[in-house]
Amino acid sequence: QVQLVESGGGLVQPGGSLRLSCAVSGFTSKYYVIAWFRQAPGKEREGISCIVIGDGTTYYPDSMRGRFTISKDTAKNTVYLQMNSLKPEDTAVYYCAQGPHGSGWDPYEYHYWGQGTQVTVSS
């Protein structure tokens, strides 16, 4: 059974940090993409970063470079998103998603999604 489960969201003050986790299970292929997306109220879902599970290559859209870092722990089947210098505009529900190798920033490329975890940046 394919499953992605996010955790690590919460309330953080501006300038603070959070690390999100995405526990991945049920995939038999070793060459696929796990991506992090976010969606704020009234806005479209946007891509933050992605990692190729087979070789660890990471990608970021230009708008997300600098404060976000994606990584993986193969032994734990977990993908992480380290978020630093958080701003109120980072407030959103954060999702991890699985797609085939070559997937980019279009959410429709991704076949499986986690339930999402809320991140709120506020003082």
Side-chain angles (χ1 to χ4, degrees):
Q1 181 180 358
V2 171
Q3 198 170 20
L4 295 92
V5 180
E6 302 98 335
S7 61
L11 174 64
V12 62
Q13 292 187 342
S17 299
L18 277 177
R19 189 178 77 161
L20 306 182
S21 300
C22 174
V24 180
S25 61
F27 296 105
T28 56
S29 171
K30 294 189 180 299
Y31 223 83
Y32 57 88
V33 170
I34 295 292
W36 284 98
F37 287 82
R38 69 183 183 185
Q39 189 165 22
K43 295 188 176 181
E44 293 186 351
R45 195 164 295 191
E46 62 176 342
I48 301 169
S49 63
C50 67
I51 187 166
V52 180
I53 294 301
D55 62 14
T57 305
T58 60
Y59 299 91
Y60 301 85
D62 289 342
S63 60
M64 297 296 175
R65 291 185 185 277
R67 298 188 296 120
F68 299 96
T69 304
I70 193 171
S71 62
K72 68 182 179 74
D73 185 328
T74 302
K76 295 182 179 180
N77 291 324
T78 300
V79 174
Y80 302 100
L81 181 68
Q82 178 68 42
M83 307 187 294
N84 299 324
S85 302
L86 285 164
K87 306 174 183 179
E89 51 263 43
D90 294 317
T91 296
V93 178
Y94 285 69
Y95 300 90
C96 61
Q98 182 272 347
H101 186 227
S103 298
W105 309 122
D106 185 345
Y108 289 101
E109 297 179 276
Y110 291 82
H111 304 155
Y112 299 97
W113 292 80
Q115 81 286 356
T117 186
Q118 176 71 45
V119 172
T120 302
V121 184
S122 175
S123 55

Coordinates of all heavy atoms in Angstrom, one line a residue, residues 47-89:
G47 N 5.2 24.4 -5.9 CA 6.3 23.5 -5.6 C 7.4 24.2 -4.9 O 7.7 25.4 -5.1
I48 N 8.0 23.5 -3.9 CA 9.1 24.0 -3.1 C 10.4 23.4 -3.4 O 11.5 24.1 -3.6 CB 8.8 23.8 -1.6 CG1 7.5 24.5 -1.2 CG2 10.0 24.3 -0.7 CD1 7.0 24.1 0.2
S49 N 10.5 22.1 -3.5 CA 11.7 21.4 -3.8 C 11.3 19.9 -4.1 O 10.2 19.5 -3.8 CB 12.7 21.4 -2.7 OG 12.1 20.8 -1.5
C50 N 12.3 19.2 -4.8 CA 12.1 17.8 -5.0 C 13.4 17.1 -5.0 O 14.4 17.7 -5.2 CB 11.3 17.5 -6.3 SG 12.2 18.0 -7.8
I51 N 13.3 15.8 -4.8 CA 14.5 15.0 -4.7 C 14.3 13.7 -5.5 O 13.2 13.1 -5.4 CB 14.9 14.7 -3.2 CG1 16.3 14.0 -3.1 CG2 13.9 13.9 -2.5 CD1 16.9 14.1 -1.7
V52 N 15.3 13.3 -6.2 CA 15.2 12.0 -6.9 C 15.7 10.9 -5.9 O 16.8 10.9 -5.5 CB 16.1 12.0 -8.2 CG1 16.0 10.7 -8.9 CG2 15.7 13.1 -9.1
I53 N 14.8 10.0 -5.6 CA 15.1 9.0 -4.6 C 16.3 8.1 -5.0 O 17.1 7.7 -4.2 CB 13.9 8.2 -4.3 CG1 12.8 9.0 -3.6 CG2 14.2 7.0 -3.4 CD1 13.3 9.7 -2.3
G54 N 16.4 7.8 -6.3 CA 17.4 6.9 -6.8 C 18.8 7.4 -6.6 O 19.8 6.6 -6.3
D55 N 19.0 8.7 -6.8 CA 20.4 9.2 -6.8 C 20.6 10.5 -5.9 O 21.7 11.0 -5.8 CB 20.9 9.5 -8.2 CG 20.1 10.6 -8.9 OD1 19.3 11.3 -8.2 OD2 20.3 10.7 -10.1
G56 N 19.5 10.9 -5.3 CA 19.6 12.1 -4.3 C 19.7 13.4 -5.0 O 19.9 14.4 -4.3
T57 N 19.6 13.5 -6.3 CA 19.6 14.8 -6.9 C 18.5 15.7 -6.5 O 17.3 15.2 -6.4 CB 19.6 14.7 -8.5 OG1 20.6 13.8 -8.9 CG2 19.7 16.0 -9.1
T58 N 18.8 16.9 -6.2 CA 17.7 17.9 -5.7 C 17.5 19.0 -6.6 O 18.4 19.4 -7.4 CB 18.1 18.4 -4.3 OG1 19.3 19.1 -4.4 CG2 18.3 17.3 -3.3
Y59 N 16.3 19.5 -6.6 CA 15.9 20.6 -7.5 C 15.0 21.6 -6.7 O 14.3 21.2 -5.8 CB 15.1 20.1 -8.7 CG 15.8 19.1 -9.5 CD1 15.7 17.8 -9.3 CD2 16.6 19.6 -10.6 CE1 16.4 16.9 -10.1 CE2 17.2 18.7 -11.4 CZ 17.1 17.3 -11.2 OH 17.8 16.5 -12.0
Y60 N 15.2 22.9 -7.0 CA 14.4 23.9 -6.4 C 14.0 24.9 -7.5 O 14.8 25.3 -8.3 CB 15.3 24.7 -5.4 CG 15.8 23.8 -4.2 CD1 17.0 23.2 -4.4 CD2 15.1 23.7 -3.0 CE1 17.5 22.4 -3.4 CE2 15.6 23.0 -2.0 CZ 16.8 22.3 -2.2 OH 17.3 21.5 -1.2
P61 N 12.8 25.4 -7.4 CA 12.4 26.5 -8.3 C 13.2 27.8 -7.8 O 13.5 27.9 -6.6 CB 10.9 26.7 -8.1 CG 10.6 26.0 -6.8 CD 11.6 25.0 -6.6
D62 N 13.4 28.7 -8.7 CA 14.3 29.8 -8.3 C 13.7 30.6 -7.1 O 14.4 31.1 -6.3 CB 14.4 30.8 -9.6 CG 15.2 30.2 -10.7 OD1 16.0 29.3 -10.4 OD2 15.1 30.7 -11.8
S63 N 12.4 30.6 -7.0 CA 11.7 31.4 -6.0 C 11.9 30.8 -4.6 O 11.7 31.4 -3.6 CB 10.2 31.5 -6.2 OG 9.6 30.3 -6.3
M64 N 12.4 29.5 -4.5 CA 12.5 28.8 -3.3 C 13.9 28.6 -2.9 O 14.2 28.0 -1.8 CB 11.8 27.5 -3.3 CG 10.3 27.6 -3.6 SD 9.5 28.4 -2.2 CE 7.8 28.6 -2.8
R65 N 14.9 29.0 -3.6 CA 16.3 28.8 -3.3 C 16.7 29.6 -2.1 O 16.3 30.8 -2.0 CB 17.2 29.1 -4.5 CG 17.0 28.2 -5.7 CD 18.0 28.5 -6.8 NE 17.7 27.6 -7.9 CZ 18.2 26.4 -8.1 NH1 18.9 25.9 -7.1 NH2 17.9 25.7 -9.1
G66 N 17.5 29.0 -1.2 CA 18.1 29.7 -0.1 C 17.6 29.4 1.2 O 18.4 29.2 2.1
R67 N 16.3 29.3 1.4 CA 15.8 29.1 2.8 C 15.3 27.7 3.0 O 15.0 27.3 4.2 CB 14.7 30.1 3.1 CG 15.1 31.5 3.1 CD 14.0 32.4 3.6 NE 12.8 32.4 2.7 CZ 11.6 32.0 3.1 NH1 11.4 31.6 4.3 NH2 10.6 32.0 2.2
F68 N 15.1 26.9 2.0 CA 14.6 25.6 2.1 C 15.6 24.5 1.6 O 16.3 24.8 0.6 CB 13.3 25.4 1.2 CG 12.2 26.4 1.6 CD1 12.0 27.6 1.0 CD2 11.3 26.0 2.6 CE1 11.0 28.4 1.3 CE2 10.3 26.9 3.0 CZ 10.1 28.1 2.3
T69 N 15.7 23.4 2.3 CA 16.6 22.4 1.9 C 15.9 21.0 2.0 O 15.4 20.7 3.1 CB 17.9 22.4 2.8 OG1 18.5 23.6 2.8 CG2 18.8 21.3 2.4
I70 N 15.9 20.3 0.9 CA 15.3 18.9 0.9 C 16.5 17.9 1.1 O 17.6 18.1 0.6 CB 14.5 18.7 -0.3 CG1 13.7 17.4 -0.2 CG2 15.5 18.6 -1.6 CD1 12.7 17.3 -1.4
S71 N 16.2 16.8 1.8 CA 17.1 15.8 2.0 C 16.4 14.5 2.2 O 15.2 14.4 2.4 CB 18.0 16.1 3.2 OG 17.3 16.1 4.4
K72 N 17.1 13.3 2.3 CA 16.5 12.1 2.5 C 17.3 11.2 3.4 O 18.6 11.3 3.4 CB 16.2 11.3 1.2 CG 17.4 10.9 0.4 CD 17.0 10.3 -0.9 CE 18.3 9.8 -1.7 NZ 18.9 8.6 -1.2
D73 N 16.7 10.3 4.1 CA 17.3 9.3 4.9 C 16.8 8.0 4.3 O 15.7 7.5 4.6 CB 17.0 9.4 6.4 CG 17.7 8.4 7.2 OD1 18.0 7.3 6.8 OD2 18.0 8.7 8.4
T74 N 17.7 7.3 3.5 CA 17.2 6.1 2.8 C 16.9 5.0 3.8 O 15.9 4.3 3.6 CB 18.3 5.6 1.9 OG1 18.6 6.7 0.9 CG2 17.9 4.4 1.1
A75 N 17.6 4.9 4.8 CA 17.4 3.8 5.8 C 16.0 4.0 6.5 O 15.4 3.0 6.8 CB 18.5 3.8 6.9
K76 N 15.6 5.2 6.6 CA 14.3 5.5 7.3 C 13.2 5.7 6.3 O 12.0 6.0 6.7 CB 14.4 6.7 8.2 CG 15.4 6.5 9.4 CD 15.4 7.7 10.3 CE 16.3 7.5 11.5 NZ 16.4 8.7 12.4
N77 N 13.5 5.6 5.0 CA 12.5 5.9 4.0 C 11.7 7.2 4.2 O 10.5 7.3 4.2 CB 11.5 4.8 3.9 CG 12.1 3.5 3.3 OD1 12.9 3.5 2.5 ND2 11.6 2.4 3.9
T78 N 12.5 8.2 4.6 CA 12.0 9.5 4.9 C 12.6 10.6 4.2 O 13.9 10.6 4.0 CB 12.1 9.7 6.5 OG1 11.4 8.7 7.1 CG2 11.5 11.1 6.9
V79 N 11.8 11.6 3.7 CA 12.3 12.8 3.1 C 12.0 14.0 4.0 O 10.9 14.0 4.6 CB 11.7 13.0 1.7 CG1 12.1 14.3 1.1 CG2 12.0 11.8 0.8
Y80 N 13.0 14.9 4.1 CA 12.9 16.0 5.0 C 12.8 17.3 4.2 O 13.4 17.4 3.1 CB 14.0 16.0 6.0 CG 14.2 14.8 6.8 CD1 15.1 13.8 6.5 CD2 13.4 14.6 7.9 CE1 15.3 12.7 7.2 CE2 13.5 13.4 8.7 CZ 14.5 12.5 8.3 OH 14.6 11.3 9.1
L81 N 12.2 18.3 4.8 CA 12.3 19.7 4.3 C 12.7 20.6 5.5 O 11.9 20.8 6.4 CB 10.9 20.1 3.7 CG 11.0 21.5 3.2 CD1 11.8 21.6 1.9 CD2 9.5 22.0 2.8
Q82 N 13.9 21.1 5.4 CA 14.4 22.0 6.4 C 14.0 23.4 6.0 O 14.4 23.8 4.9 CB 15.9 21.9 6.6 CG 16.5 22.9 7.6 CD 16.1 22.6 9.0 OE1 16.0 21.4 9.5 NE2 15.7 23.7 9.8
M83 N 13.3 24.1 6.8 CA 12.9 25.5 6.5 C 13.5 26.5 7.5 O 13.3 26.3 8.7 CB 11.4 25.6 6.5 CG 10.7 24.5 5.7 SD 8.9 24.7 5.5 CE 8.4 24.4 7.2
N84 N 14.2 27.4 7.0 CA 14.9 28.4 7.9 C 14.4 29.8 7.6 O 13.8 30.1 6.5 CB 16.4 28.4 7.7 CG 17.0 27.0 8.0 OD1 16.5 26.4 9.0 ND2 18.0 26.6 7.3
S85 N 14.6 30.7 8.5 CA 14.2 32.2 8.3 C 12.8 32.3 7.8 O 12.5 33.0 6.9 CB 15.2 32.8 7.3 OG 16.5 32.7 7.8
L86 N 11.9 31.6 8.5 CA 10.5 31.6 8.1 C 9.8 32.9 8.2 O 10.1 33.7 9.1 CB 9.8 30.5 8.9 CG 10.1 29.1 8.5 CD1 9.6 28.1 9.6 CD2 9.4 28.8 7.2
K87 N 8.9 33.2 7.3 CA 8.2 34.4 7.2 C 6.7 34.2 7.3 O 6.3 33.1 7.0 CB 8.5 35.1 5.8 CG 10.0 35.3 5.5 CD 10.2 35.8 4.1 CE 11.7 35.9 3.8 NZ 11.9 36.4 2.4
P88 N 5.9 35.2 7.7 CA 4.5 35.0 7.7 C 3.9 34.5 6.4 O 3.0 33.7 6.4 CB 4.0 36.3 8.1 CG 5.1 37.0 8.9 CD 6.3 36.5 8.2
E89 N 4.5 34.9 5.3 CA 4.0 34.4 4.0 C 4.3 33.0 3.7 O 3.8 32.4 2.7 CB 4.5 35.3 2.9 CG 6.0 35.5 2.9 CD 6.4 36.8 3.5 OE1 5.8 37.1 4.6 OE2 7.3 37.5 3.0

